[in-house]
Amino acid sequence: MALGGCCTFETGDLAELYATAELCVVQQDVVRSGDYAGRITPVSNGLAYLVLGQYDSSGRNGSQTPLSEVWVGLGCYWAARPAASDEEFLAVLDASEDQKLALRIRADGRLAVYDSTGTSLGVGATVLQTGRWYWLELLCGTGTNADYALRINGVTELSGQGHMGTGGATLIVIGKLVDRNGEGYDLYVDDIVTDTADWPGDCRGCRMDPDGDGHYEDWTGDYTDVDDVPHNADTDYITASVAGAAETVTLEHPTAAGVLGVARALKLVAVVRRGPAASTLRTRLRSGGTDLDGDELPSTAWGPTYVAVQQMYSTDPATNAQWTLDGLADTEVGLVLTANAMARCTLLCAIVIWSPAEGTARQMYAYRHRRAQ
């Protein structure tokens, strides 16, 4: 798996995303996996959307290297469809933020695919019912005669070629970015992923919370100051102001976090801010006694307001192979300050992207019931 980005909403807020618009919230009443999911509710000709970016080697989220091909996967649950026409709910953008490919939901519950010129490439046969989750996957190529394909629950619904523009993909928009027919809808979304190499397959996301202080303990504070979800900003945090100060936390076992299948990737998440003085830091993943630091996050990439720094790991750095549950259980996440200037962190955690194994549905029900107690 070669993930370019993901949003699971497991930080309890919208921090995983590059940008958001109005009428988008995080909630716990309707979820596909983990503890949280998103909800998007555009009204009539209003807009409401989430923007997913890619992560660079320092953990910045945004519009990075354009991709000639991208595969998008996400869970969708329609509480209400457009009443009489169709509206967009997924779009792939290039570096100029022009649409390459878009999906629309029709009033009859079928999906329609449109290329960069606004030309319809086809309408699917499957009717997406309200009140149930569907796993959707979309392939978007680049060029005037590029490949596209749409899958619903792992089965190809539409495929072919179309005009996808000449610029590569950089951003994924979930929701209503453009008003097409003055219609609203009510959409829950979860487990949004992008893959740069192949179909992602059915993906789920769960958060591994801190459960102890790790190998490095140079910052002031401890793991109980970075375990609140959603984070509580400057109420609880760890802090450092000396270059070289490192801090890591241990994590709860992945099965306790709700990982009930095959681990596909791990994402380190640190919600941080600096003071008025310029400051820099690196993320640190420690697995099996092996430290792997991200590139330095420049001072211009963060400021006095908390932001999420995110690093994706498709393989375990201790083995250079696919993650195992034991490998996840032996992992620590943290930060290294690289400047003599104040920094604070209010949330540290790891989000595991995993795929279901046989019997997962029954296990997920038991997990949610236990987590809600």
Side-chain angles (χ1 to χ4, degrees):
M1 190 173 202
L3 284 184
C6 75
C7 177
T8 63
F9 304 98
E10 290 306 299
T11 57
D13 54 22
L14 299 171
E16 290 178 89
L17 293 152
Y18 174 59
T20 64
E22 296 180 355
L23 302 176
C24 300
V25 299
V26 176
Q27 50 76 53
Q28 293 183 281
D29 295 327
V30 179
V31 299
R32 183 171 179 269
S33 66
D35 298 327
Y36 297 92
R39 187 181 185 185
I40 307 170
T41 54
V43 177
S44 61
N45 60 356
L47 306 180
Y49 56 87
L50 312 170
V51 183
L52 178 66
Q54 306 170 53
Y55 316 125
D56 71 7
S57 55
S58 71
R60 282 185 291 185
N61 186 358
S63 179
Q64 309 297 345
T65 304
L67 303 170
S68 60
E69 287 185 308
V70 66
W71 289 258
V72 184
L74 73 159
C76 288
Y77 176 109
W78 294 97
R81 302 188 299 249
S85 190
D86 64 14
E87 290 291 353
E88 289 179 6
F89 73 96
L90 190 156
V92 181
L93 307 186
D94 64 16
S96 299
E97 299 191 3
D98 293 325
Q99 287 195 5
K100 294 169 57 63
L101 189 65
L103 276 183
R104 299 187 193 180
I105 180 70
R106 294 164 38 119
D108 63 6
R110 295 189 294 163
L111 300 182
V113 181
Y114 286 79
D115 71 8
S116 63
T117 68
T119 300
S120 174
L121 299 177
V123 178
T126 301
V127 175
L128 273 60
Q129 304 291 339
T130 57
R132 59 171 293 186
W133 284 101
Y134 293 88
W135 178 249
L136 307 183
E137 295 171 276
L138 183 68
L139 162 64
C140 176
T142 296
T144 57
N145 192 35
D147 290 335
Y148 81 91
L150 169 66
R151 290 183 176 182
I152 301 177
N153 292 337
V155 178
T156 299
E157 185 84 357
L158 295 167
S159 64
Q161 290 76 41
H163 197 309
M164 306 301 156
T166 56
T170 58
L171 299 172
I172 308 300
V173 179
I174 310 299
K176 188 179 176 184
L177 176 64
V178 179
D179 177 45
R180 298 297 181 185
N181 295 295
E183 298 269 6
Y185 54 71
D186 189 350
L187 171 64
Y188 294 89
V189 292
D190 205 356
D191 306 321
I192 308 167
V193 300
T194 60
D195 198 298
T196 61
D198 205 348
W199 295 102
D202 185 352
C203 291
R204 317 283 173 121
C206 290
R207 184 189 69 255
M208 293 171 61
D209 291 322
D211 67 353
D213 294 318
H215 183 76
Y216 298 97
E217 300 182 65
D218 297 336
W219 291 42
T220 301
D222 62 25
Y223 77 96
T224 62
D225 296 311
V226 290
D227 65 351
D228 288 300
V229 176
H231 73 78
N232 56 17
D234 282 334
T235 300
D236 294 295
Y237 58 87
I238 58 174
T239 185
S241 57
V242 177
E247 185 81 10
T248 57
V249 296
T250 61
L251 301 165
E252 65 179 324
H253 195 277
T255 56
V259 179
L260 305 174
V262 178
R264 308 280 303 282
L266 178 144
K267 182 171 76 168
L268 182 159
V269 180
V271 178
V272 299
R273 77 168 181 88
R274 60 175 174 83
S279 188
T280 55
L281 56 72
R282 298 175 186 268
T283 58
R284 172 164 291 179
L285 182 80
R286 183 173 176 83
S287 175
T290 299
D291 293 338
L292 182 62
D293 292 352
D295 286 347
E296 191 170 79
L297 182 72
S299 186
T300 54
W302 55 314
T305 301
Y306 280 103
V307 298
V309 180
Q310 304 171 80
Q311 289 277 14
M312 190 74 71
Y313 304 90
S314 295
T315 58
D316 185 342
T319 62
N320 292 317
Q322 182 175 346
W323 286 100
T324 64
L325 294 183
D326 287 342
L328 291 170
D330 193 32
T331 296
E332 300 178 14
V333 294
L335 299 165
V336 183
L337 190 63
T338 55
N340 290 314
M342 186 275 286
R344 291 180 178 180
C345 176
T346 187
L347 175 65
L348 267 175
C349 66
I351 294 173
V352 181
I353 304 301
W354 58 278
S355 293
E358 186 177 354
T360 297
R362 184 179 297 108
Q363 290 177 288
M364 288 181 68
Y365 174 82
Y367 160 77
R368 287 186 185 140
H369 180 73
R370 182 176 68 252
R371 197 86 160 181
Q373 300 304 308

